[in-house]
Amino acid sequence: MTLEIAVKAAAGAPELLGDCPFCQRVLLTLEEKKVPYKSLLVNLSDKPQWFLDISPEGKVPVVKFDDKWVADSDVIVGMLEEKYPEPSLVTPPDFASVGSKIFISFINFLKSKDPSDETEKALVEQLKALDEHLKANGPFIAGEKITAADLSLAPKLYHLETALGHFKKWSVPEDLTHVHNYMKTLFSLQSFENTKPAAKEYVIAGWAPKVNA
């Protein structure tokens, strides 16, 4: 059975896949589990009525399970694991929170207008912790096998690399070689190729309002 999933369309190009990292996380999970799906692209700046009927808060992603629309990527990924247990993408509990503070640290640094507020330092600390974890446990967060933690982090690292490169001319420090290798591995996965935003310009356009706020 083909699952229906409503995801963000690209800003200014409603027929193309947009830049939502939470949508991509769910799409990556569907791809890795080989679950057939149909993407419904939603223009979030002009939400159609059919979408508001299934997602009253206007949030993506939403997936239809047994005639019921379910929101929230955490909930959706949990349900996919339950309904399609093979291959398992469960992250061992000890590793489930690895890298979980990188995204908020990235956003704080991206929005920062004050070079002395230590938001850059906080992000680098989080990336260093990931680097050390990968050095000891890699190539993926839980070892040889990709898990849900990697599929959650991959889109966020892609946004980090794209947005900070554009707005701050900043990149992940070169000495964090395990993080660089990890990103290279994740971004070259076929599932990532199939689900990434249509172009980096849409990622940049997605973050521009927050940077300029």
Side-chain angles (χ1 to χ4, degrees):
M1 194 181 94
T2 302
L3 286 184
E4 288 183 287
I5 174 169
V7 292
K8 182 182 180 183
E15 73 290 352
L16 298 175
L17 183 60
D19 62 300
C20 170
F22 304 100
C23 293
Q24 191 183 4
R25 174 195 182 189
V26 173
L27 293 173
L28 280 167
T29 306
L30 290 164
E31 290 270 341
E32 289 291 330
K33 286 187 171 291
K34 305 278 191 286
V35 177
Y37 65 91
K38 178 188 175 192
S39 295
L40 309 172
L41 298 175
V42 181
N43 179 356
L44 293 183
S45 56
D46 183 18
K47 300 181 184 79
Q49 190 55 48
W50 68 262
F51 172 62
L52 292 171
D53 291 342
I54 63 172
S55 179
E57 291 183 356
K59 289 184 178 174
V60 286
V62 276
V63 174
K64 193 177 190 182
F65 290 106
D66 308 320
D67 293 329
K68 182 172 180 258
W69 288 94
V70 177
D72 190 297
S73 62
D74 284 336
V75 176
I76 294 167
V77 166
M79 288 181 71
L80 288 172
E81 193 58 53
E82 207 174 282
K83 288 177 178 292
Y84 306 94
E86 292 301 322
S88 171
L89 294 172
V90 175
T91 310
D94 294 358
F95 295 162
S97 65
V98 171
S100 62
K101 291 180 182 168
I102 287 174
F103 196 56
I104 189 64
S105 302
F106 146 62
I107 294 171
N108 290 339
F109 176 40
L110 183 68
K111 289 165 75 173
S112 164
K113 306 276 195 287
D114 176 5
S116 62
D117 66 3
E118 302 211 330
T119 51
E120 179 182 2
K121 184 183 172 193
L123 174 60
V124 171
E125 288 302 317
Q126 292 298 327
L127 291 168
K128 271 186 184 162
L130 176 62
D131 196 78
E132 281 161 23
H133 175 86
L134 293 167
K135 184 179 179 181
N137 302 282
F140 296 110
I141 283 174
E144 294 295 323
K145 196 171 145 291
I146 201 163
T147 66
D150 303 296
L151 301 184
S152 175
L153 200 48
K156 295 169 182 174
L157 290 170
Y158 186 74
H159 278 244
L160 177 156
E161 179 183 72
T162 305
L164 291 178
H166 178 80
F167 292 108
K168 300 261 190 189
K169 304 292 178 270
W170 188 94
S171 55
V172 175
E174 279 183 28
D175 60 340
L176 301 182
T177 52
H178 298 279
V179 171
H180 277 282
N181 290 339
Y182 179 62
M183 288 165 67
K184 199 173 165 185
T185 301
L186 290 173
F187 301 165
S188 64
L189 291 168
Q190 190 57 53
S191 56
F192 195 91
E193 265 306 306
N194 294 349
T195 59
K196 71 181 182 182
K200 287 192 172 183
E201 69 198 69
Y202 300 119
V203 176
I204 292 161
W207 286 105
K210 291 182 175 64
V211 175
N212 300 322

